[in-house]
Amino acid sequence: MNVELLREFFGWMTLINLVAYMLTASICILMKDVMVTFTGKLFGVDDARSKTVTYWYVGMYKLFFLVFNLVPWLALVIMTK
């Protein structure tokens, strides 16, 4: 496996995860009440805790996206130039 193949793999992985993150964040923003009710019923918690769980999830998704997708892809792009 060479660096060019890894760069392409991480590039596609980053793009796919970016679209998934944007979709998830959009749903959580645009359908906030539905998400709060859904996670409240799913986890059996009140609305305040449900909001915390929902925004924690979106925040952790963004953090993992940055650390495990975007940063390695950028490092590979820099390495191949």
Side-chain angles (χ1 to χ4, degrees):
M1 185 174 288
N2 60 16
V3 177
E4 291 293 327
L5 185 62
L6 274 175
R7 184 181 60 86
E8 186 175 348
F9 170 75
F10 273 96
W12 281 109
M13 184 172 65
T14 300
L15 180 65
I16 291 167
N17 275 301
L18 178 63
V19 169
Y21 170 73
M22 289 173 37
L23 181 66
T24 302
S26 297
I27 288 171
C28 288
I29 291 169
L30 298 174
M31 300 175 56
K32 180 173 37 175
D33 296 331
V34 174
M35 287 300 297
V36 167
T37 304
F38 176 73
T39 56
K41 288 180 181 178
L42 183 67
F43 295 115
V45 296
D46 61 355
D47 286 351
R49 179 71 176 146
S50 181
K51 286 180 184 178
T52 304
V53 168
T54 302
Y55 291 115
W56 179 85
Y57 165 74
V58 173
M60 293 307 290
Y61 195 111
K62 182 168 55 172
L63 178 68
F64 286 137
F65 166 74
L66 291 172
V67 170
F68 293 113
N69 292 167
L70 188 62
V71 171
W73 176 72
L74 287 174
L76 288 168
V77 166
I78 291 169
M79 284 175 50
T80 56
K81 289 199 175 201

